[in-house]
Amino acid sequence: MNYLKEFTKGFIKENPLLVLALGMCPSLAVTTSAINGLGMGVASTFVLFMSNMLVALLKNVIPNKVRIPAFIVIIATFVTIVDLTMNAFLPDLYKALGIFIPLIVVNCIILGRAEAFAQKNNVLVSMLDGLGMGLGFTMAIFTVGSIREILGNGSFFNVKFVTEDASTVLLFIMPPGAFITLGYIMMLMNKLKSKLY
Amino acid sequence: MDIVNIIILALLVNNVVLAQFLGICPFLGVSQKISTSFGMGAAVVFVMTIANLFTYLIFNFVLATFHIQFMQTITFILVIASLVQIVEIILKKVSPPLYQALGIYLPLITTNCAVLGTAIIAITQNYNLVESLVYAISTGLGFTLALLLMAGIREQLELTGVPKAMRGFPITLITAGMLSLAFMGFAGLVK
């Protein structure tokens, strides 16, 4: 088993958001700024890493017929941990991400990796897979957030680089901008993939 | 809050797909044909309403009574998952024609974040039982509306020459962006 390959496949080749089109809802909803995108990405990566590890550890104990509910309970537990921790230590980010923190539970990436990867592989590889996929997702969602913040707000990580009264492309921080930005990023990804592979 | 306000907000102004970004996966996945998107929409309205009824009762009479509101996420997702299973089994037995129509869409709904999202929003907005149910039905109808519009456009899009790199998700997302832009026109509808 090639550990490096399992780790890096989530970056470009099987990028969960840009190639597999999983985890669309949070990537469109919370990416109004770079920091929100980063926060959502890190939170999802943590849940993905921990749930992949636990599923791989418990794969021989969980009966096959009730595996999906069991996976959901595992995922929901870690989501609750993230929810409470973020509420306590990062209240601003928590408010910005809002309902999409509890909704990490139904992020298809996480259940998808548990079902398709972690329950068939050993703990170490599953952890690498979770981390790699999570980082791939974080990079993608951070890119969407950065583009939307730069174009829509004229700032990056809340540092403004245009004058206060400059008119920015407000469309990009509104809902339509999310769809359009992600659409064009996926198009570039298609182009890149057809060149690379 | 006024019932009419809730309906207009959920159906048009804060459309669940185009403004709140809930249920994007089925929105992109099942919007190829008008007939299938109608079936999916009906199944979502059905499940959403039942899910909101049960999550309302469970939150107010179980979680709030024992002061374990932090268990909300785990409880709700389990309730919704089992509810979908039960609905599927009952429909199969009681109304085979309805099961035929909705059957294949039901399992997909478990992972539809719109259902869990609607349940959580109804709780955080402190809706009472009637408001919560009205909210669920209009959100479901809003989802159906967006899905039908999208399917109509995509059926036309099939006939046009889309550049190779744009085919599939990219063009669908950009189309959704245009739809969302159109829906922003509803913003001034309620105060």
Side-chain angles (χ1 to χ4, degrees), chain B:
Chain B
M1 201 201 247
D2 189 5
I3 294 283
V4 182
N5 257 11
I6 294 181
I7 297 176
I8 295 175
L9 269 176
L11 192 62
L12 299 174
V13 181
N14 285 335
N15 186 286
V16 62
V17 181
L18 298 170
Q20 303 204 55
F21 304 113
L22 294 170
I24 298 286
C25 300
F27 175 68
L28 296 178
V30 201
S31 62
Q32 258 129 358
K33 281 209 203 99
I34 291 184
S35 55
T36 50
S37 42
F38 198 77
M40 183 70 187
V44 167
V45 175
F46 195 64
V47 171
M48 230 176 225
T49 315
I50 301 173
N52 261 32
L53 172 69
F54 277 88
T55 49
Y56 177 86
L57 296 176
I58 286 172
F59 187 83
N60 284 291
F61 295 110
V62 182
L63 298 187
T65 316
F66 294 110
H67 302 289
I68 45 170
Q69 281 95 336
F70 64 88
M71 291 289 282
Q72 180 183 316
T73 313
I74 301 183
T75 321
F76 281 15
I77 187 69
L78 282 179
V79 167
I80 290 170
S82 28
L83 215 60
V84 173
Q85 286 276 301
I86 294 169
V87 168
E88 201 181 340
I89 295 169
I90 293 177
L91 269 189
K92 205 172 180 178
K93 199 84 189 162
V94 176
S95 168
L98 197 60
Y99 177 76
Q100 284 279 314
L102 304 183
I104 46 166
Y105 306 106
L106 283 173
L108 293 174
I109 292 177
T110 317
T111 50
N112 183 342
C113 53
V115 178
L116 181 61
T118 311
I120 295 176
I121 291 173
I123 297 293
T124 47
Q125 296 276 342
N126 274 322
Y127 286 156
N128 63 33
L129 185 57
V130 178
E131 285 170 337
S132 174
L133 290 181
V134 170
Y135 177 70
I137 295 171
S138 24
T139 305
L141 290 176
F143 178 78
T144 316
L145 178 69
L147 206 60
L148 283 176
L149 286 173
M150 194 66 194
I153 298 175
R154 281 182 83 171
E155 281 190 357
Q156 297 295 314
L157 217 56
E158 290 275 296
L159 307 170
T160 55
V162 179
K164 198 164 167 246
M166 291 284 270
R167 271 179 218 157
F169 283 113
I171 190 72
T172 314
L173 278 168
I174 292 166
T175 315
M178 300 299 154
L179 259 184
S180 164
L181 200 58
F183 264 69
M184 279 177 69
F186 290 121
L189 221 52
V190 279
K191 285 185 282 300

Side-chain angles (χ1 to χ4, degrees), chain A residues 2-181:
Chain A
N2 190 339
Y3 289 100
L4 190 69
K5 216 176 105 203
E6 294 299 341
F7 179 59
T8 55
K9 70 173 184 288
F11 294 176
I12 291 182
K13 197 169 171 228
E14 287 178 39
N15 189 297
L17 176 63
L18 301 176
V19 176
L20 305 179
L22 298 173
M24 289 283 212
C25 301
S27 336
L28 292 166
V30 301
T31 49
T32 45
S33 69
I35 186 80
N36 286 358
L38 197 62
M40 188 70 209
V42 172
S44 307
T45 306
F46 170 77
V47 176
L48 185 56
F49 178 72
M50 297 303 281
S51 69
N52 251 16
M53 181 173 84
L54 215 64
V55 166
L57 278 171
L58 296 174
K59 63 175 182 283
N60 296 326
V61 188
I62 299 172
N64 199 34
K65 275 190 179 153
V66 293
R67 66 179 194 284
I68 300 284
F71 294 165
I72 291 179
V73 172
I74 292 173
I75 296 168
T77 309
F78 288 113
V79 171
T80 307
I81 294 174
V82 170
D83 189 280
L84 296 175
T85 316
M86 215 179 239
N87 196 0
F89 295 105
L90 298 163
D92 290 337
L93 189 62
Y94 183 77
K95 226 174 255 158
L97 300 183
I99 187 176
F100 285 92
I101 295 287
L103 286 184
I104 296 177
V105 179
V106 280
N107 188 329
C108 343
I109 299 174
I110 297 168
L111 190 61
R113 290 329 286 176
E115 169 78 10
F117 197 90
Q119 65 156 345
K120 293 174 195 149
N121 290 286
N122 69 40
V123 181
L124 187 63
V125 184
S126 299
M127 282 159 71
L128 281 177
D129 173 81
L131 198 61
M133 281 285 166
L135 286 176
F137 178 65
T138 308
M139 284 191 282
I141 192 171
F142 172 67
T143 314
V144 180
S146 309
I147 294 176
R148 289 183 68 191
E149 191 183 351
I150 291 169
L151 290 177
N153 206 21
S155 61
F156 190 56
F157 280 106
N158 292 326
V159 182
K160 266 210 177 285
F161 50 75
V162 290
T163 51
E164 209 51 59
D165 55 346
S167 56
T168 51
V169 196
L170 270 182
L171 174 77
F172 278 95
I173 45 173
M174 290 178 187
F179 286 111
I180 295 169
T181 311

